[in-house]
Every structure is written in C-alpha cells, then in structure tokens.
C-alpha cells in the first residue's frame, strides 16, 4: 500500500511514465510517510473513450489508494501535488484544453485490506 493507478487515453512512452511514477512516489513518501518499496504503480491505457458526445481529446485520471488515517490537509496536499505533476508531464502545451486531468484519493479501512506484504 499505497496503490497508484494512472488511466490514460493518450499513448504514452514507458520512458515518460517511469519519471511520473517516481515523482508521485516521492510525493507520497514526503507527505504520507509511506515506504517507496510499498508503492504499487500501474498505468492503463483506455482505448475507447468519449467526453459526453465528443470523442475528441484525452484524459489522464490518477487514482491513489491509501490506508485510512491521513488528515484532510495531508490528502489535499497529496492531491494538489499529484495534479501539478500530471500538468507538468501531460498538459497541453498549445494553450488549447483538449486533455482533462484529474486525481482521486481513495481511503481504505485497514480491516478491508489484505496483503502478504511484510515490508
């Protein structure tokens, strides 16, 4: 724990995703006190998508699942820092908003999380 999942519609090179995950892990280590070796990262390309009735544009949605126990202030910081990271790597550079970027922080009760991880 935590789990970091990036869903995206745009094709992204692995060489770009790795530094994004590194920066996201650093945010969690600095703000949530997690160990880097416990962070599980995955990127999933969504091949079929639409925004309402419009199929133009792309989205990047980051979902971070954490065990409950962090304050609202910590969750807000993590969310904003992660959104800033998505902007840094994936926002449009041409001034036209064709990409939607979002971050969701999920809290999981420890009684609902089971693992063999002993780190």
């Amino acid at each position: 724990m935590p789990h970091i999942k990036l869903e995206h519609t745009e094709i992204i090179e692995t060489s770009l995703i790795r530094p994004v995950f590194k920066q996201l892990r650093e945010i969690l280590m600095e703000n949530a006190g997690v160990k880097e070796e416990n962070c599980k990262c995955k990127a999933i390309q969504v091949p079929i998508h639409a925004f309402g009735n419009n199929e133009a544009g792309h989205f990047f949605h980051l979902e971070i699942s954490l065990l409950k126990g962090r304050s609202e202030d910590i969750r807000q910081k993590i969310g904003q820092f992660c959104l800033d990271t998505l902007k840094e790597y994936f926002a449009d550079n041409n001034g036209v908003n064709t990409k939607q970027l979002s971050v969701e922080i999920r809290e999981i009760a420890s009684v609902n999380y089971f693992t063999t991880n002993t780190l």
Side-chain angles (χ1 to χ4, degrees):
M1 190 50 101
H3 292 264
I4 302 168
K5 178 171 62 172
L6 177 63
E7 296 176 321
H8 57 91
T9 58
E10 190 172 62
I11 297 172
I12 307 171
E13 294 295 324
T14 303
S15 61
L16 183 59
I17 292 176
R18 292 196 188 284
V20 171
F21 282 155
K22 182 179 186 328
Q23 193 163 339
L24 295 172
R25 288 191 310 269
E26 288 173 0
I27 290 167
L28 292 173
M29 289 185 303
E30 291 172 14
N31 294 281
V34 301
K35 296 178 182 176
E36 185 171 25
E37 58 269 20
N38 289 344
C39 295
K40 294 148 189 86
C41 303
K42 59 185 163 187
I44 302 166
Q45 183 181 355
V46 179
I48 300 171
H49 64 281
F51 299 102
N53 63 359
N54 183 359
E55 294 182 18
H58 292 281
F59 72 78
F60 294 82
H61 177 70
L62 179 65
E63 179 183 302
I64 298 177
S65 298
L66 295 165
L67 291 176
K68 273 188 174 182
R70 275 70 178 200
S71 69
E72 182 179 344
D73 181 55
I74 295 297
R75 292 190 313 271
Q76 289 290 322
K77 284 181 184 178
I78 291 169
Q80 190 58 57
F81 290 152
C82 288
L83 184 59
D84 292 344
T85 299
L86 294 184
K87 288 177 185 176
E88 178 184 339
Y89 284 91
F90 304 122
D92 291 310
N93 293 324
N94 59 10
V96 178
N97 283 337
T98 60
K99 298 177 187 176
Q100 293 185 9
L101 310 173
S102 57
V103 175
E104 177 183 2
I105 308 291
R106 291 182 175 225
E107 288 189 293
I108 300 173
S110 58
V111 297
N112 295 331
Y113 186 73
F114 306 89
T115 183
T116 60
N117 185 356
T118 58
L119 296 176

